[in-house]
Amino acid sequence: AEGKVVRTKASFVVPPREETMKYNSAVSSSRRKSRKAHFTADSTARRKIMSCSLSKELQQKYNVRSMPVRKDDEVMVVRGIYKNREGKVTACYRRKYVIHVERITRDKVNQQQVNVGVQPSNCIITKLKLDKDRKQILERKDRNASGADAIEGASTSMDLANVD
């Protein structure tokens, strides 16, 4: 039945199968293997998996779509029951693939407050905590060729635009 149209009992037409190439033959497309890789990932791999998209303003400023989230970043939850809640990241719980955001808590039976884990994929970063390593990452990930001036001279290009 290679290349021919096959008819079944219910006269349903099954089109011939197209052979699709994988993008990278070194990477498995097996569900089983990708799940194993995800759940047995080490801490450095989990850091990368736990990335957040940047807000539209930060994307414009740095020409970068997403960054691994870290403590002291400010995030906004955009999905789930805590939607539209903003706060500072108090902890990145890599073992559980969640982040803890201040003021997103739940009361226990004994009235004690506990942090609720939020998945980083459901958040956007609204304010970055910048240090020299983070600036270097932004510089490297910058989609424009002039990565250095986008970070250090972001406001100077704005000032020069309004000279006249």
Side-chain angles (χ1 to χ4, degrees), residues 2-136:
E2 196 67 38
K4 295 179 183 176
V5 174
V6 180
R7 293 193 182 273
T8 58
K9 289 181 189 174
S11 72
F12 177 73
V13 178
V14 179
R17 256 183 131 181
E18 290 182 25
E19 295 294 322
T20 54
M21 294 282 290
K22 285 168 49 170
Y23 290 113
N24 187 351
S25 59
V27 177
S28 173
S29 56
S30 165
R31 172 180 162 83
R32 178 189 200 175
K33 289 180 184 176
S34 54
R35 283 178 57 83
K36 183 180 181 185
H38 179 80
F39 292 112
T40 61
D42 60 331
S43 185
T44 52
R46 286 177 186 238
R47 175 182 167 272
K48 200 153 192 177
I49 293 168
M50 291 175 63
S51 292
C52 281
S53 297
L54 298 183
S55 66
K56 295 289 180 196
E57 297 83 41
L58 291 177
Q59 284 184 28
Q60 289 281 320
K61 185 175 178 182
Y62 299 117
N63 297 310
V64 175
R65 285 181 65 90
S66 64
M67 283 282 288
V69 70
R70 64 163 286 180
K71 189 177 172 179
D72 295 330
D73 281 347
E74 287 185 26
V75 296
M76 179 181 189
V77 182
V78 291
R79 292 280 182 277
I81 59 172
Y82 299 106
K83 188 175 183 175
N84 296 326
R85 300 272 293 275
E86 286 190 72
K88 191 180 276 193
V89 176
T90 57
C92 292
Y93 205 145
R94 289 187 191 166
R95 188 178 209 173
K96 290 185 176 181
Y97 283 109
V98 294
I99 57 174
H100 291 157
V101 182
E102 67 182 8
R103 295 190 302 276
I104 297 185
T105 56
R106 163 176 278 157
D107 288 340
K108 286 169 67 171
V109 179
N110 63 0
Q111 271 60 50
Q112 188 181 359
Q113 290 205 328
V114 288
N115 290 317
V116 176
V118 180
Q119 289 194 337
S121 62
N122 295 336
C123 302
I124 57 169
I125 298 174
T126 54
K127 190 174 177 201
L128 287 166
K129 176 169 170 46
L130 287 175
D131 54 12
K132 68 177 180 67
D133 294 328
R134 214 94 188 278
K135 285 180 182 174
Q136 215 170 29

